[in-house]
Amino acid sequence: MKKASFFLVLIFAMSLVSCAKKNTEVPMEEAPVVQKDQGPKIDYDLSGMNYNMLSSITFDMLIDPEKYTDKTIKMSGQFYSEVHEGKRYFSVIVWDATRCCPAGMDFIPPASLIYPEDFPEQEQTITVTGKLKLNQDDSIDFDAQTMEF
C-alpha cells in the first residue's frame, strides 16, 4: 500500500513539474521579404475549391453577374474544347465525385494563342486567370489573361 501511495505521489509531483509554464520564447530573426511578380490581383480564387463550392460560386455568377463584373477570377480544372454551330468553345471544368455533373465555365483565350498548338490536350489540368465581362445581353464572358498547364 505504501508503494502504491508513493507512486501516486510521485506521478502527481511529476505532473506538476511537467505542467509548469516555462519561458522558452526564442527571438525570431526577421527574414528578408522577397517580393515576386504575383501577376494580376485575384479577386476570386476558385482554383482550390472542391466541386460543391465551385458549382455554388459559378451559379452565383450566373444569377448575379454584376457582382463579378470586371473581377479577376482564377480557376483550375480540366481543359475541354469543342466546336458548336461553327464556333470553337474553350472550357475549364471540374467534375463531381461520381463524374456525372460538371461545373466550370467557358473562357475566351488570349487572341495571340493559336489552337491547337498553344493549348493543352483535352482533359489536361489547366489553370485560367482572367476577368469577367458583362455583355449587353446580360451574358458573361470570361476573358483569359493567362493559361497555365
Side-chain angles (χ1 to χ4, degrees):
M1 184 77 158
K2 283 186 176 184
K3 284 185 181 182
S5 299
F6 174 75
F7 284 117
L8 286 175
V9 170
L10 182 63
I11 291 172
F12 179 71
M14 287 174 42
S15 68
L16 287 177
V17 171
S18 66
C19 291
K21 189 173 184 177
K22 295 180 183 179
N23 188 4
T24 57
E25 282 187 37
V26 177
M28 292 181 56
E29 296 178 24
E30 289 194 29
V33 176
V34 178
Q35 292 186 354
K36 298 189 305 186
D37 179 20
Q38 299 293 326
K41 176 187 168 275
I42 308 295
D43 296 303
Y44 295 96
D45 188 349
L46 314 180
S47 63
M49 291 184 179
N50 66 19
Y51 171 81
N52 293 335
M53 287 298 298
L54 183 70
S55 62
S56 296
I57 295 290
T58 55
F59 181 73
D60 193 44
M61 288 177 181
L62 292 174
I63 61 171
D64 191 8
E66 293 85 14
K67 177 179 173 182
Y68 301 94
T69 300
D70 294 324
K71 302 294 185 191
T72 300
I73 310 293
K74 181 178 180 181
M75 184 174 171
S76 294
Q78 289 183 317
F79 172 77
Y80 288 91
S81 179
E82 64 180 27
V83 176
H84 183 69
E85 294 183 6
K87 182 178 178 185
R88 178 161 296 281
Y89 290 89
F90 302 94
S91 304
V92 56
I93 302 292
V94 174
W95 295 92
D96 70 339
T98 62
R99 200 166 164 79
C100 76
C101 306
M105 62 177 74
D106 293 341
F107 65 91
I108 301 169
S112 61
L113 300 180
I114 299 169
Y115 185 82
E117 295 86 13
D118 299 327
F119 289 80
E121 296 292 321
Q122 292 279 19
E123 299 184 11
Q124 184 175 340
T125 300
I126 185 172
T127 299
V128 179
T129 303
K131 288 203 179 262
L132 282 181
K133 302 288 183 190
L134 184 61
N135 298 319
Q136 291 179 349
D137 62 354
D138 290 334
S139 65
I140 55 174
D141 285 335
F142 183 33
D143 288 328
Q145 297 166 336
T146 63
M147 293 186 336
E148 300 169 20
F149 51 93

